[in-house]
Amino acid sequence: KAGVTQTPRYLIKTRGQQVTLSCSPISGHRSVSWYQQTPGQGLQFLFEYFSETQRNKGNFPGRFSGRQFSNSRSEMNVSTLELGDSALYLCASSAGGLNAETQYFGPGTRLLVL
Amino acid sequence: GESVGLHLPTLSVQEGDNSIINCAYSNSASDYFIWYKQESGKGPQFIIDIRSNMDKRQGQRVTVLLNKTVKHLSLQIAATQPGDSAVYFCAERNTGFQKLVFGTGTRLLVSP
């Protein structure tokens, strides 16, 4: 099976702009989670989508949003970009059950905000 | 609050040695734990997981130990190789939620 894919891999934006990142989960996986990774804060949970519904949400401002499509692909959007949004954005997919199960990560999208 | 921490930010070992990476977690409700390896420029790669009803689980050259009494997790890598050099993260999850809480990471440096 193909792994989790993310596009684009690299992105440069300026403050105030908005950005949309895309994630395609492993075939058959219905849950997609998004994480932000920065040197200062480490890996932090943004949100999780399952069956086109946001099921869990982390402690990020409303500028961070996401959605999931019927084919389980997911997008996340960041509006009104700030310098502090520069980070590696990772998505992870899993089958979607609420019992313990592994999340598999994509390579990430590196966002630089100037 | 939620936190998963690591005692050692950097661990340097010689090739062939056994490595032990430690992790402390604070949420007693967490019942699923995962170790990930992250190489430069890549996403975290699954290594091994363990559920809270287990104390030990073994994989290929790796063993995870869980001590729920002191809320401690460790990853043992046998016969460490240069290709094992990476940052290792532990993560915890509360059943019923897909949110993973990650530790700060330990950098493993393997010298030939």
Side-chain angles (χ1 to χ4, degrees):
Chain A
K1 282 185 180 179
V4 178
T5 58
Q6 292 186 246
T7 56
R9 292 294 312 277
Y10 304 93
L11 208 48
I12 300 176
K13 292 286 187 178
T14 56
R15 280 179 298 174
Q17 287 187 311
Q18 73 167 16
V19 66
T20 299
L21 312 181
S22 181
C23 172
S24 293
I26 292 171
S27 178
H29 283 188
R30 297 170 63 192
S31 168
V32 174
S33 298
W34 288 89
Y35 294 83
Q36 181 195 64
Q37 186 175 26
T38 60
Q41 299 298 319
L43 277 150
Q44 292 189 300
F45 174 80
L46 281 156
F47 31 64
E48 182 240 352
Y49 285 86
F50 177 79
S51 291
E52 302 178 63
T53 301
Q54 188 181 88
R55 191 163 60 174
N56 291 287
K57 188 178 187 303
N59 298 321
F60 279 82
R63 300 185 297 107
F64 292 82
S65 63
R67 61 177 176 169
Q68 187 180 34
F69 302 95
S70 58
N71 62 357
S72 295
R73 189 177 68 86
S74 177
E75 289 181 346
M76 68 162 282
N77 183 78
V78 187
S79 62
T80 319
L81 283 166
E82 300 177 359
L83 296 179
D85 297 333
S86 294
L88 181 66
Y89 290 89
L90 294 157
C91 83
S93 78
S94 65
L98 293 179
N99 293 321
E101 61 181 34
T102 306
Q103 293 184 26
Y104 296 93
F105 282 83
T109 294
R110 185 163 296 281
L111 171 64
L112 177 62
V113 182
L114 302 176
Chain B
E2 298 175 326
S3 68
V4 178
L6 292 169
H7 300 304
L8 300 173
T10 302
L11 177 64
S12 297
V13 301
Q14 293 288 321
E15 181 178 2
D17 287 351
N18 295 331
S19 303
I20 299 176
I21 301 173
N22 296 300
C23 176
Y25 65 95
S26 60
N27 189 349
S28 57
S30 294
D31 60 3
Y32 179 58
F33 304 87
I34 310 174
W35 280 100
Y36 287 95
K37 170 187 179 183
Q38 188 174 27
E39 297 173 285
S40 182
K42 297 183 179 180
Q45 175 190 353
F46 170 83
I47 302 174
I48 192 168
D49 59 0
I50 188 168
R51 300 186 185 206
S52 60
N53 60 354
M54 303 171 68
D55 297 323
K56 179 180 179 179
R57 191 165 188 219
Q58 290 183 293
Q60 186 176 13
R61 284 200 305 119
V62 294
T63 301
V64 55
L65 299 178
L66 176 62
N67 185 330
K68 295 180 289 295
T69 302
V70 295
K71 288 186 256 182
H72 185 266
L73 195 67
S74 69
L75 176 70
Q76 300 178 359
I77 305 174
T80 313
Q81 303 168 359
D84 295 327
S85 293
V87 177
Y88 290 80
F89 293 95
C90 64
E92 61 178 306
R93 206 198 82 162
N94 192 346
T95 295
F97 299 92
Q98 288 289 348
K99 171 184 176 180
L100 291 176
V101 175
F102 283 84
T104 55
T106 292
R107 182 173 301 279
L108 177 65
L109 299 175
V110 183
S111 304

